[in-house]
Amino acid sequence: MTGRQILSQGASIFNAFLILVLSGFLTIEQLRAQGDSPPEEIHYGDFLNREINPSYEIDTFFFRGDSGDAIILLVTDHSGEGGGTTVELELRDPYGNLLASSGDDTQVRITYILPADGIYTIYVWEWLGDWIMPYSIDLEKIAPNPVGIEIGFGDSMEEEVSDLGGIDLLTFEGCTGDVVTIIVTDLSGLGGETTIELELWDPAGNLRDSKDGDSQARIDYTLPSDGTYAILIWEWHGDYVLPYAVALQRTQGGGCGLVEGPSLNIILNQHEFTTGETLVISGQFTNGPNPATVEVKAWAELPNGNLLRVPGVPDEMALGPGEDFTQELFRRDFTGSEPTGDYSIGGRLENPITGQDLSLDIENFTFTH
């Protein structure tokens, strides 16, 4: 038996004694069944701040889940006691059977695919019962059909993990064979004080990749199946609010089915610029099962409404069957001499003989000094 097991056994006996004395001679299991504090319902997507008080209390939560739901539970100690406290977390099925447990001195998590429909129970307590422990609990459904912030290929957006100990969940639709890149950049300006945690989960609820970093975290991955993927972002140990930028790119297309004909998707490296920053315009070209030759038109609409042709874009392009690639079309550094305001970048493919529009896409950005 390890030292921790011996301590745990001793602590359990001591806690059981305390509970018997202080709760009218209820056993731990009876106390759990009755609820040390009234059981509280929690739903997918909920973030709650609670407190273990008195120190020997066991907090009880319940939620309704379906067979096959892939979930994540994240509990963070906010007592500031460091290694003095230990968070204990349990997940039990609708029949009271233990499914998973976790314990650590600052933050604990459980990920699990639920085996049946029903009401599941969560227990949270402080290991030795020595400390009053303020904490947060976050429950998210990763699959199937997770609900979160939607992000698409070519998108770049700024968000914030505003709850200490909270998780941001983003979703996107992916196809078998898609080669994707996810980049998350810390915008807090706190340097090495924060740590980004980044995870990619597939439509079946399997963790596919995870990365972390002090200022940036990046995942490059080839998707194994069609469906809705989940991106999880949080700040390690939940010590800081985490403003961040997230970008999602598809560098190679996969197998959701070929598009009917040629198409062009305009991609901007970001959507807000100031003096000294660089605008990069890229185009994602895709094609259906038949080879095609297309005329390419790309333009910029200035804040005053004037239109300018984007230089350097090829007038004509030959696309092979099922082709899908991305290439840079234009790059410019903002010097401060440009007019401020809202810009639009448009791209269109046309039939070179008939002039018929085959594809049209427009993206917007803002320039401020």
Side-chain angles (χ1 to χ4, degrees):
M1 182 177 291
T2 66
R4 170 159 178 157
Q5 288 172 324
I6 294 170
L7 285 172
S8 179
Q9 185 181 58
S12 297
I13 295 171
F14 178 68
N15 282 344
F17 173 75
L18 277 178
I19 292 168
L20 286 170
V21 171
L22 296 173
S23 64
F25 301 99
L26 292 174
T27 67
I28 289 180
E29 291 306 320
Q30 287 172 326
L31 185 61
R32 285 177 171 171
Q34 175 176 299
D36 194 0
S37 56
E40 181 176 359
E41 186 169 9
I42 186 171
H43 306 87
Y44 293 142
D46 280 355
F47 174 87
L48 306 175
N49 282 300
R50 296 294 181 263
E51 184 175 74
I52 299 295
N53 188 6
S55 60
Y56 52 81
E57 180 180 72
I58 300 170
D59 280 2
T60 307
F61 302 88
F62 68 93
F63 68 94
R64 302 173 190 276
D66 295 328
S67 176
D69 284 356
I71 67 158
I72 179 170
L73 273 167
L74 186 69
V75 175
T76 304
D77 171 16
H78 296 297
S79 68
E81 296 295 339
T85 56
T86 299
V87 188
E88 295 290 337
L89 174 65
E90 282 187 1
L91 173 66
R92 291 182 177 261
D93 71 13
Y95 305 99
N97 301 310
L98 178 64
L99 296 178
S101 63
S102 182
D104 206 345
D105 58 7
T106 306
Q107 191 175 73
V108 294
R109 62 179 263 170
I110 287 174
T111 58
Y112 208 86
I113 297 178
L114 304 184
D117 297 353
I119 297 176
Y120 288 78
T121 308
I122 302 163
Y123 296 121
V124 180
W125 72 98
E126 200 281 317
W127 180 42
L128 291 176
D130 293 332
W131 303 88
I132 291 173
M133 186 180 73
Y135 68 93
S136 61
I137 180 170
D138 197 333
L139 172 63
E140 303 288 344
K141 185 174 83 165
I142 306 167
N145 304 316
V147 177
I149 303 167
E150 294 183 1
I151 185 170
F153 294 124
D155 285 351
S156 178
M157 60 179 67
E158 293 185 5
E159 298 291 342
E160 182 178 82
V161 181
S162 56
D163 296 314
L164 298 182
I167 300 171
D168 271 12
L169 190 155
L170 289 75
T171 66
F172 69 93
E173 298 299 320
C175 302
T176 304
D178 280 352
V179 181
V180 303
T181 297
I182 306 163
I183 300 175
V184 178
T185 304
D186 178 9
L187 302 179
S188 69
L190 295 175
E193 295 295 319
T194 57
T195 299
I196 302 167
E197 297 290 336
L198 171 64
E199 292 183 347
L200 173 65
W201 293 77
D202 71 17
N206 301 304
L207 176 63
R208 287 296 174 175
D209 202 357
S210 63
K211 293 291 188 296
D212 60 68
D214 292 340
S215 58
Q216 190 174 83
R218 172 174 177 153
I219 286 176
D220 296 282
Y221 202 81
T222 301
L223 304 185
S225 59
D226 299 352
T228 303
Y229 286 77
I231 301 170
L232 301 185
I233 300 169
W234 73 97
E235 199 280 316
W236 186 52
H237 283 172
D239 293 329
Y240 298 96
V241 170
L242 179 67
Y244 64 90
V246 56
L248 174 65
Q249 297 288 346
R250 181 174 62 186
T251 57
Q252 182 176 326
C256 280
L258 296 173
V259 296
E260 293 182 359
S263 67
L264 168 60
N265 178 35
I266 295 294
I267 300 171
L268 305 180
N269 60 320
Q270 59 194 66
H271 293 273
E272 294 184 0
F273 295 89
T274 58
T275 299
E277 294 185 318
T278 301
L279 165 67
V280 180
I281 304 172
S282 300
Q284 180 187 10
F285 295 86
T286 58
N287 190 27
N290 301 312
T293 299
V294 295
E295 285 189 0
V296 184
K297 304 288 179 65
W299 65 93
E301 182 177 350
L302 307 184
N304 62 7
N306 290 340
L307 297 177
L308 297 176
R309 182 174 179 176
V310 176
V313 176
D315 293 331
E316 196 169 274
M317 183 174 290
L319 299 175
E323 195 146 26
D324 187 337
F325 64 91
T326 300
Q327 71 177 48
E328 184 177 314
L329 302 177
F330 179 75
R331 175 184 293 260
R332 177 186 171 88
D333 297 327
F334 283 98
T335 64
S337 61
E338 301 83 1
T340 59
D342 296 328
Y343 289 71
S344 294
I345 304 296
R348 182 169 61 231
L349 300 184
E350 297 179 357
N351 185 304
I353 298 175
T354 66
Q356 175 190 3
D357 284 347
L358 302 175
S359 172
L360 173 66
D361 188 34
I362 297 175
E363 293 290 330
N364 303 308
F365 71 87
T366 302
F367 172 65
T368 57
H369 286 305

